[in-house]
Amino acid sequence: DIQMTQSPSSLSASVGDRVTITCRASQSISIYLNWYQLKPGKAPKLLIYTASTLQSGVPSRFSGSGSGTDFALTISSLQPEDFATYYCQQSYTTPTFGPGTKLDI
Amino acid sequence: EVQLVESGGGLVQPGGSLRLSCAASGFTFSSYWMYWVRQAPGKGLVWVSTINSAGTSSYYADSVKGRFTLSRDNAKNTLYLQMNGLRAEDTAVYYCARGVGTSTTFDYWGQGTLVTVSS
């Protein structure tokens, strides 16, 4: 299985900050990388797919980049509703997820 | 509006069985591959199982192979996960999710149902 790592594992930030979360795959996955947002008690939400395509309805302050083994999720100006845990996931082979990045105030 | 609603979770003893359901609405259920993903307490997300749109093929993580069975009833717009031989390590929130085409990109998820395996 392809192993996914994320950094940082947790991040403290403020409203209005620009934050970047990185994700690395143990082998090349081309652009088959997705990002999800999880909040307690809520359905997980797809933010970005194929590394940089914004899912319909997701605010444009979210963006994704990367290819091969290294990827990033950037939130350009944090809003209160963005405080959550973020997971990357490769869809190149049998799906695997990163360990998550908890973003809090 | 796409909706996925899981049910059937609860407390079960080790070695016991449970059947999870996922009721789908707001889309043509029979056209989509469907998935289960779980999250153990304090842990990350882990793919569990996949079923194709027709229900003729299913795939499983090694950790559940031979114990879990995924099926679907396209007439009832419902996905089922039969879980037998449950172990403490199966304790998790179980999410059903819809796939994008045949890729393992999950564009809609349910809110999850908690399964606790404990004596």
Side-chain angles (χ1 to χ4, degrees):
Chain A
D1 286 0
I2 296 175
Q3 308 302 315
M4 308 299 294
T5 58
Q6 284 181 238
S7 62
S9 57
S10 64
L11 177 58
S12 292
S14 301
V15 172
D17 284 354
R18 178 184 179 91
V19 299
T20 297
I21 299 167
T22 62
C23 176
R24 176 166 286 178
S26 60
Q27 66 184 72
S28 177
I29 56 170
S30 184
I31 59 167
Y32 297 102
L33 190 284
N34 308 311
W35 291 97
Y36 300 90
Q37 178 191 67
L38 267 74
K39 295 181 179 180
K42 291 200 164 185
K45 181 179 180 181
L46 174 65
L47 301 174
I48 302 280
Y49 61 96
T50 54
S52 61
T53 305
L54 195 67
Q55 171 70 346
S56 175
V58 174
S60 59
R61 62 181 180 272
F62 290 91
S63 64
S65 63
S67 65
T69 60
D70 294 303
F71 302 87
L73 172 70
T74 298
I75 310 171
S76 60
S77 178
L78 274 173
Q79 297 303 299
E81 60 269 29
D82 299 337
F83 292 96
T85 302
Y86 294 84
Y87 289 88
C88 63
Q89 175 242 330
Q90 61 82 13
S91 55
Y92 185 73
T93 61
T94 303
T96 50
F97 294 83
T101 296
K102 185 175 182 181
L103 177 55
D104 55 22
I105 300 173
Chain B
E1 179 193 5
V2 172
Q3 284 201 319
L4 298 169
V5 180
E6 302 94 338
S7 61
L11 175 64
V12 62
Q13 292 189 338
S17 297
L18 216 52
R19 188 177 82 156
L20 305 183
S21 299
C22 172
S25 61
F27 65 102
T28 305
F29 179 69
S30 59
S31 296
Y32 288 84
W33 288 45
M34 297 295 295
Y35 301 81
W36 287 93
V37 175
R38 69 185 181 185
Q39 184 175 31
K43 302 292 186 180
L45 297 166
V46 176
W47 166 76
V48 173
S49 186
T50 300
I51 191 165
N52 68 350
S53 56
T56 54
S57 296
S58 55
Y59 309 90
Y60 302 91
D62 287 345
S63 59
V64 308
K65 201 173 293 182
R67 300 187 298 123
F68 289 13
T69 302
L70 182 54
S71 62
R72 63 192 296 163
D73 186 335
N74 284 345
K76 294 184 177 179
N77 293 339
T78 304
L79 185 70
Y80 302 103
L81 184 66
Q82 178 67 43
M83 304 187 296
N84 299 329
L86 283 162
R87 306 167 180 167
E89 55 265 34
D90 295 318
T91 294
V93 174
Y94 285 73
Y95 298 100
C96 69
R98 190 182 83 167
V100 175
T102 57
S103 79
T104 51
T105 295
F106 311 124
D107 63 349
Y108 287 94
W109 300 59
Q111 290 191 304
T113 186
L114 176 63
V115 172
T116 303
V117 184
S118 175
S119 54

